[in-house]
Amino acid sequence: MLEGEYEGTGLSKLAKSGCVKGEPPFFARVRGFRIPLLINAFASMHRLEAAWGMSADALAERANRLSKELTQLTYTDPKLYETLTGLDELPLCRFHEGDTAGSINLGCVITEHGGTYRGGIYRIEPIDGRTAVIHCAQGSGLRRSIEEGNGDIPVTVAVGCSPFLVFTCACTFPYEYDSLRLASALGDVKYIRTSGFPVPADTRVIIHGTVGRREVKGGRFFNHTGKHTEPKDYPLMNIKSVQIMKGGFLQTMITDIPPTENVYLGQAAARVHFYRFLETYSAVRDIRHPEVGVYGRLCFVSADGINDVLLKRLKNDHFYGRFSKIFVFDDDTDITDIENVFWRIGHSQRFGRNIDGKIFIV
């Protein structure tokens, strides 16, 4: 535990420095709150892989394979929890100058439809102790659940829980995938029953509420692009209950210019889509996402032969089709070597060839 009490901007600087230097995660107390914060638990790929007990590649390949043969959830007895008055008891502080408010940045938001549990990680911005804005983009799993629901739908948010559920919720799987059952298959995750949906037995903070079609304006937040987001309309969440494990803490993730926790998690989660794509197009050799390109910005593809079939599949893929820029290389290019990649781009004779200004052939 860090000595003394901190403001959010001070913690942000410590977290950024820790990511750059590879320092261990740390607990801190935020001025005005009794509940401690855990920061930088996933602040390197090595730390993520240590939490999973396997490499990101091994986990991604396993996730793609096991997603087709899931079993039922296994339950265990819950630990002791105390009920909080609302979100305002959690140490949600502004981490950057210009942020509208503090927010929950590493909560697994769970919904259910037809017996399938769907999960996603979205910024949750409190308005007060009993209401919040969920920053879910158009086309996200939560948006689709809201659109398919008849009125308000229940949601459960698990914060500070199994790294396997964090992974499956970050993966942007097709809508029909079950995030909870896949996490269970990947890491033998045990769940507890709650007044809402199941959560992993190690979950530190459990939030139950409802969301519907009503939207309100969300705030501005500094993120991995190096800029503040622009205010947009997002779904309103009404909070029914907030519980914290006895002696628990709030795990958070500070968004910033890479290297940061969210970027490492995003890179790891994206690998599962390479193995999914490989199943139907074996000529693809690798797909990589540099730090600056995570979250739909930029990816590199290497393939044994570049043809219209590959380009069309990339363009229409539910995951890769959302990227702003895709650079496609022959398989003699090592796309894990960023310097080599940009050398190839700079010296390519066919770089001008592109599909809709989005997919570039190098």
Side-chain angles (χ1 to χ4, degrees):
M1 178 79 72
L2 289 180
E3 294 296 328
E5 294 185 331
Y6 286 79
E7 299 289 353
T9 52
L11 291 174
S12 175
K13 293 174 182 176
L14 288 171
K16 177 70 174 181
S17 174
C19 283
V20 172
K21 298 176 182 178
E23 295 172 346
F26 59 92
F27 287 93
R29 291 208 181 273
V30 177
R31 188 167 292 121
F33 296 92
R34 65 181 177 87
I35 297 169
L37 274 175
L38 172 61
I39 300 174
N40 277 15
F42 302 141
S44 70
M45 193 61 73
H46 173 75
R47 198 167 293 159
L48 274 170
E49 293 176 340
W52 294 322
M54 65 186 85
S55 69
D57 262 351
L59 183 67
E61 186 280 327
R62 182 176 168 83
N64 181 64
R65 175 166 42 85
L66 293 181
S67 64
K68 305 167 185 63
E69 46 187 65
L70 300 180
T71 58
Q72 296 301 308
L73 301 182
T74 302
Y75 291 92
T76 188
D77 293 331
K79 297 181 180 179
L80 291 176
Y81 285 82
E82 64 170 300
T83 300
L84 306 180
T85 59
L87 295 179
D88 44 6
E89 281 199 64
L90 297 175
L92 304 177
C93 51
R94 295 177 178 85
F95 289 124
H96 298 281
E97 296 290 343
D99 284 0
T100 300
S103 60
I104 295 171
N105 299 338
L106 198 56
C108 297
V109 180
I110 302 164
T111 60
E112 184 269 340
H113 183 80
T116 298
Y117 295 110
R118 297 168 178 146
I121 297 178
Y122 311 100
R123 184 189 298 276
I124 301 175
E125 173 195 349
I127 298 174
D128 53 40
R130 309 303 293 186
T131 56
V133 184
I134 300 188
H135 289 230
C136 57
Q138 294 291 343
S140 65
L142 181 57
R143 285 274 192 176
R144 184 167 171 181
S145 293
I146 293 170
E147 291 166 2
E148 291 184 353
N150 183 18
D152 290 351
I153 63 169
V155 296
T156 295
V157 184
V159 189
C161 65
S162 163
F164 293 100
L165 183 61
V166 172
F167 173 77
T168 60
C169 287
C171 276
T172 322
F173 282 117
Y175 188 57
E176 65 275 9
Y177 280 44
D178 192 307
S179 301
L180 271 63
R181 290 190 175 94
L182 181 54
S184 180
L186 288 173
D188 192 27
V189 178
K190 300 295 191 296
Y191 290 86
I192 57 173
R193 292 181 171 86
T194 73
S195 60
F197 301 127
V199 299
D202 61 352
T203 302
R204 268 62 180 196
V205 176
I206 305 172
I207 303 168
H208 296 301
T210 59
V211 295
R213 296 178 184 271
R214 183 186 172 191
E215 298 189 350
V216 296
K217 190 74 71 178
R220 301 175 71 250
F221 293 91
F222 193 81
N223 67 9
H224 61 281
T225 65
K227 300 178 181 179
H228 281 84
T229 58
E230 290 301 319
K232 295 181 180 178
D233 290 334
Y234 293 109
L236 177 71
M237 179 178 180
N238 290 297
I239 310 299
K240 289 188 172 182
S241 66
V242 182
Q243 296 174 295
I244 187 167
M245 186 184 290
K246 288 284 188 180
F249 53 84
L250 179 70
Q251 184 176 350
T252 193
M253 176 172 64
I254 297 176
T255 57
D256 205 330
I257 300 170
T260 49
E261 285 185 88
N262 59 314
V263 170
Y264 291 123
L265 181 60
Q267 285 181 311
R271 286 301 285 169
V272 74
H273 294 283
F274 162 64
Y275 289 101
R276 175 186 56 80
F277 197 90
L278 185 64
E279 283 188 334
T280 59
Y281 197 86
S282 60
V284 167
R285 293 293 177 259
D286 201 0
I287 302 178
R288 293 285 172 172
H289 310 268
E291 288 183 354
V292 296
V294 175
Y295 301 114
R297 297 274 172 176
L298 171 68
C299 73
F300 303 142
V301 178
S302 66
D304 180 11
I306 301 173
N307 54 52
D308 290 341
V309 174
L310 168 62
L311 301 179
K312 184 176 180 180
R313 289 199 178 190
L314 288 169
K315 179 181 176 181
N316 295 328
D317 187 78
H318 90 274
F319 180 71
Y320 295 114
R322 294 185 294 180
F323 275 70
S324 300
K325 295 288 185 291
I326 301 174
F327 293 87
V328 186
F329 302 81
D330 290 321
D331 61 353
D332 62 347
T333 301
D334 179 6
I335 59 175
T336 65
D337 184 340
I338 298 299
E339 287 190 9
N340 182 42
V341 164
F342 285 111
W343 185 91
R344 291 281 182 148
I345 292 174
H347 291 80
S348 173
Q349 298 299 313
R350 56 185 182 184
F351 179 63
R353 245 190 99 192
N354 68 82
I355 310 298
D356 299 335
K358 174 177 179 175
I359 302 177
F360 294 86
I361 302 167
V362 182

